[in-house]
C-alpha cells in the first residue's frame, strides 16, 4: 500500500543513479561498459557516466577513480525543482547533515541538487535537473553484453529494518513485499515510488553499506547469456549468485561482483505495483523459496559482504551490527546455521 508522504517530504519519482568509487577506472570500464553493455555518456581519465540503453537521461551509474571501493552516494530524482528545496529542509528538520550542490559543481549532467546523510547513515542526493540524452532504445547495433536497459533499484544493508521501513514510508514509498519471522519481525522489505517492485530494498546486516544495485535487462535470456559470457572468458569468479528465479519480486536474476567487489544484480521480469491500494505480499523467513523460488541456497558472501559508504566529506561511515541476522535462521535450502 502506498502511504502518502509526510507533508514536507520531497516528491521522489524514482531511484535514479548510484555513484561508486572504483580503484581502476579502465578495469571498471571493461566490466560495466564492455561486459554489461552500459553506454558511455561521458568519460574523462577519472570518471565514467553510464546509462542503460533504454535510458533517456545523462546517466544511471557514475564511476569515479579513488583509493578504496565505496559508495559515494545514491541519488533519487524528484518531481519538481521545488522538491530539491523541500528535500533540503526536510532532512534539515530531521537534524541530518545536508549540502547544496550547485549545477556544475557536482556530478556531470546533474543540475542543482542537495546531498544529505539520511537517518540510516546513507549519502543520498535529491535532484530534478539532469541532461537529456539521445534515444538508444532501438539502436540494436549498439546493444551488447548483458544488454542493460536501465537502473532498477538500490539494495542497502542496514542493521534496523523497521527504522529503514519507517524512513522510506515517510518519504511516501509503498511496500511491495517483505520477509517476516513467525512473530512478524521484519527481516527485509522492498519499497517503491515507480510502479514496479522496488526502488530500494533493505537487507539486514551491518550498515550503512551498499548491498547492490539492480539493473534491468529485457529478457531472461539476457541474464543467462551474461553468465555464459563471463564463463566463456574464464571470468566466472565475477559470478556470485544465480542465475535463478527470485521468490520475492518473481524476477529472474544473476548477481555479479565487479573488479572492486561492488555487487550488481542483472534483473528482469518483475511486476506492476501502481494501484493506490496495492497490497504487500509477505514471505515467511522459513519459506526457502523466498530468495530463490527453486530453493537454491543463498551463498554466505551474499548475506555478509557489502560496499562501505562515504560521508559528505568522502570519509568512510562507521557501521553498526545488525539487530536480526537472516543467514542465522536455519532454513532448508540456505542451510546456514
Ligand atoms: O533474494 S530475494 O528474492 O529476496 C530478492 C528479490 C529481489 C531483488 O532485487 C533482490 O536483490 C533479492
Ligand atoms: Fe536486487
Amino acid at each position: 500500500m502506498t502511504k502518502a508522504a509526510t507533508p514536507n517530504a520531497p516528491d521522489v519519482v524514482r531511484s535514479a543513479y548510484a555513484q561508486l568509487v572504483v580503484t581502476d577506472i579502465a578495469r571498471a570500464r571493461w566490466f560495466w561498459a564492455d561486459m554489461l553493455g552500459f553506454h558511455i555518456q561521458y568519460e574523462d581519465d577519472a570518471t565514467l557516466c553510464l546509462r542503460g540503453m533504454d535510458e533517456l537521461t545523462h546517466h544511471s551509474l557514475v564511476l569515479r577513480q579513488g583509493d578504496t571501493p565505496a559508495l559515494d552516494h545514491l541519488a533519487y530524482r524528484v518531481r519538481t525543482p521545488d522538491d530539491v528545496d523541500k528535500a533540503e529542509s526536510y532532512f534539515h528538520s530531521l537534524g541530518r547533515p545536508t549540502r547544496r550542490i550547485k549545477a556544475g559543481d557536482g556530478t556531470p549532467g546533474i543540475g542543482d541538487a542537495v546531498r544529505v546523510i539520511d537517518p540510516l547513515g546513507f549519502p543520498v542526493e535529491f535532484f530534478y535537473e539532469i541532461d537529456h540524452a539521445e534515444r538508444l532504445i532501438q539502436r540494436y547495433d549498439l546493444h551488447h553484453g548483458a544488454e542493460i536497459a536501465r537502473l532498477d533499484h538500490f539494495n542497502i544493508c542496514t542493521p534496523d529494518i523497521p527504522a529503514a521501513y519507517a524512513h522510506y514510508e515517510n518519504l511516501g514509498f509503498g511496500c511491495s513485499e517483505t520477509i517476516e519471522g513467525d512473530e512478524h519481525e521484519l527481516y527485509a522489505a522492498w519499497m517503491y515510488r515507480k510502479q514496479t517492485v522496488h526502488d530500494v530494498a533493505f537487507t539486514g546486516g551491518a550498515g550503512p553499506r551498499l548491498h547492490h544495485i539492480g539493473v534491468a535487462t529485457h529478457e531472461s535470456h539476457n541474464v543467462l547469456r551474461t553468465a555464459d559470457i563471463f564463463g566463456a572468458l574464464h571470468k566466472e569468479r565475477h559470478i556470485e549468485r544465480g542465475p535463478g528465479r527470485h521468490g520475492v519480486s518473481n524476477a529472474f536474476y544473476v548477481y555479479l561482483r565487479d573488479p572492486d567487489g561492488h555487487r550488481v544484480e542483472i534483473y528482469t521480469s518483475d511486476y506492476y505495483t501502481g494501484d493506490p491500494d496495492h497490497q504487500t505480499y509477505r514471505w515467511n523467513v522459513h519459506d526457502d523459496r523466498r530468495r530463490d523460488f527453486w530453493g537454491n541456497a543463498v551463498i554466505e558472501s551474499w548475506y555478509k559482504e557489502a560496499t562501505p559508504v562515504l560521508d559528505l566529506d568522502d570519509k568512510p561511515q562507521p557501521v553498526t551490527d545488525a539487530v536480526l541476522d537472516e543467514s542465522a535462521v536455519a532454513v532448508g535450502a540456505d542451510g546456514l546455521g
Side-chain angles (χ1 to χ4, degrees):
M1 178 80 93
T2 310
K3 179 176 172 293
T6 48
N8 57 339
D11 181 350
V12 172
V13 174
R14 63 181 172 93
S15 46
Y17 78 91
Q19 182 156 316
L20 302 177
V21 179
V22 295
T23 56
D24 178 334
I25 199 81
R27 211 174 49 162
R29 191 180 196 278
W30 164 78
F31 181 87
W32 294 95
D34 298 351
M35 296 295 284
L36 266 56
F38 273 95
H39 176 76
I40 300 172
Q41 187 65 22
Y42 167 86
E43 70 175 319
D44 61 33
D45 55 5
T47 313
L48 279 167
C49 293
L50 306 175
R51 66 182 165 114
M53 301 307 277
D54 286 6
E55 293 176 306
L56 302 171
T57 50
H58 191 263
H59 59 262
S60 60
L61 176 64
V62 177
L63 307 175
R64 70 169 176 84
Q65 177 105 12
D67 296 336
T68 52
L71 169 70
D72 184 290
H73 62 275
L74 300 173
Y76 292 100
R77 189 168 196 196
V78 294
R79 199 166 301 281
T80 70
D82 287 350
D83 284 298
V84 179
D85 298 331
K86 279 187 87 171
E88 186 173 26
S89 47
Y90 178 74
F91 284 93
H92 184 69
S93 72
L94 295 181
R96 305 303 305 164
T98 65
R99 182 165 302 166
R100 199 70 182 230
I101 313 274
K102 285 267 151 279
D105 292 349
T107 300
I110 302 291
D112 177 36
V114 63
R115 287 194 195 155
V116 308
I117 299 296
D118 75 9
L120 312 176
F122 285 87
V124 185
E125 178 176 280
F126 296 85
F127 72 92
Y128 168 75
E129 293 165 31
I130 181 169
D131 292 351
H132 284 257
E134 74 197 290
R135 190 175 187 270
L136 297 175
I137 295 174
Q138 292 174 312
R139 288 299 306 275
Y140 289 101
D141 54 312
L142 300 178
H143 295 190
H144 64 279
E147 299 189 31
I148 298 307
R150 59 178 175 78
L151 172 78
D152 186 78
H153 61 268
F154 308 133
N155 187 303
I156 59 177
C157 281
T158 186
D160 188 342
I161 302 283
Y165 186 97
H167 170 58
Y168 275 94
E169 190 178 42
N170 288 336
L171 284 173
F173 283 60
C175 181
S176 54
E177 301 200 31
T178 61
I179 296 177
E180 302 177 16
D182 295 334
E183 310 304 319
H184 299 296
E185 55 279 34
L186 200 53
Y187 280 84
W190 285 256
M191 301 187 81
Y192 61 90
R193 286 292 287 180
K194 72 180 185 298
Q195 300 183 353
T196 63
V197 166
H198 55 320
D199 288 283
V200 66
F202 318 125
T203 299
R209 295 182 299 159
L210 174 67
H211 189 273
H212 67 268
I213 61 170
V215 292
T217 192
H218 282 285
E219 311 273 353
S220 51
H221 70 73
N222 298 120
V223 174
L224 290 165
R225 180 163 161 72
T226 302
D228 282 341
I229 294 171
F230 275 92
L233 296 174
H234 208 342
K235 299 289 186 186
E236 68 283 358
R237 63 182 175 76
H238 289 281
I239 304 171
E240 180 190 43
R241 178 185 163 203
R245 169 75 65 190
H246 281 316
V248 173
S249 80
N250 192 43
F252 199 75
Y253 72 91
V254 65
Y255 290 91
L256 307 173
R257 307 293 292 271
D258 88 337
D260 283 291
H262 297 305
R263 183 179 289 110
V264 55
E265 178 185 20
I266 318 297
Y267 175 95
T268 192
S269 316
D270 64 358
Y271 57 84
Y272 168 74
T273 60
D275 279 15
D277 60 349
H278 185 82
Q279 300 299 305
T280 301
Y281 188 79
R282 302 177 190 281
W283 291 83
N284 183 286
V285 74
H286 295 281
D287 184 337
D288 58 17
R289 299 168 306 156
R290 71 196 185 285
R291 291 209 178 268
D292 184 281
F293 197 53
W294 306 331
N296 289 318
V298 177
I299 188 170
E300 186 154 10
S301 62
W302 192 90
Y303 279 119
K304 299 296 183 195
E305 296 173 12
T307 294
V309 309
L310 302 179
D311 66 14
L312 297 181
D313 298 312
D314 290 352
K315 298 216 179 13
Q317 291 268 61
V319 299
T320 309
D321 280 336
V323 173
L324 288 174
D325 178 357
E326 183 184 338
S327 67
V329 177
V331 287
D334 279 6
L336 293 171

